Amino acid sequence: IISYGGVVACHSLRIGGDRFDEHIIQYVRKQYNILIGEPTAEKIKKEIGYALVDHEMLEMEVRGRDLVTGLPSTVTLNSYEIRDCLKESLLHILETVRKTLEDCPAELSGDIVDRGLVLTGGGCLLNGMEEWLSKEIIVPVHLAPNPLESVAFGTGQALKYIHKLHPVAK
């Protein structure tokens, strides 16, 4: 949480869109004995991947290499199984958001409750992410206008003011 030119509360977690892709690859490999690549996992995530929200089940045919025969194979995946394979990472994200909000000074909590928080990065584009997080932490959640570019853009902007930023007190 950044306020008045300084980092007020900070927790970090190395989970995002790429980690979601890895989980999907591992799930398909373990469950169906089929090897898929990162582009296929990314497509699965975008088309039928969901955060932990109720939704209408979607299905998708996926092609990969059968690990037993070595031949190309097709399997049908559904959005519920993809949601379940991402569940552990999503719960880690939720816990980290909660810890950060708990570390926030009381005077800023009111602003967060009123204005909410902004999600950035590719992981926030997972279907239902805004809705799920908002329901879980009971504050408004918004997507950055360009979530994929916003992290790089924000870092560039912060570098202009690096001399004004205060170090994190540990």
Side-chain angles (χ1 to χ4, degrees), residues 10 167-170:
C10 177
V168 179
K170 296 222 177 191

Side-chain angles (χ1 to χ4, degrees), residues 41-57:
E42 177 82 10
K43 185 175 180 183
I44 293 167
K45 178 181 69 181
K46 286 180 177 179
E47 291 187 21
I48 64 170
Y50 274 84
L52 306 175
V53 294
D54 291 330
H55 65 278
E56 184 178 325
M57 185 175 74

Side-chain angles (χ1 to χ4, degrees), residues 28-122:
V28 173
R29 182 181 187 137
K30 187 175 181 181
Q31 193 70 27
Y32 296 100
N33 268 345
I34 292 179
L35 182 63
I36 61 171
E38 290 179 17
T40 302
E42 177 82 10
K43 185 175 180 183
I44 293 167
K45 178 181 69 181
K46 286 180 177 179
E47 291 187 21
I48 64 170
Y50 274 84
L52 306 175
V53 294
D54 291 330
H55 65 278
E56 184 178 325
M57 185 175 74
L58 301 173
E59 291 185 337
M60 179 179 180
E61 279 194 356
V62 176
R63 291 179 182 82
R65 182 173 43 118
D66 189 306
L67 293 170
V68 176
T69 65
L71 299 173
S73 184
T74 302
V75 66
T76 302
L77 302 175
N78 70 61
S79 56
Y80 293 163
E81 63 187 322
I82 300 304
R83 176 190 62 191
D84 292 344
C85 89
L86 300 177
K87 182 177 183 175
E88 186 177 331
S89 286
L90 290 167
L91 292 176
H92 284 303
I93 291 170
L94 175 61
E95 185 59 31
T96 303
V97 169
R98 282 188 173 146
K99 283 182 198 174
T100 308
L101 291 172
E102 286 171 6
D103 290 350
C104 176
E107 53 273 4
L108 291 179
S109 294
D111 289 341
I112 293 172
V113 168
D114 290 343
R115 297 182 182 167
L117 44 106
V118 179
L119 299 178
T120 66

Side-chain angles (χ1 to χ4, degrees), residues 46 119-125 143-157:
K46 286 180 177 179
L119 299 178
T120 66
C124 75
L125 295 175
L143 286 181
N146 296 308
L148 293 173
E149 293 90 23
S150 62
V151 175
F153 181 75
T155 302
Q157 291 297 313

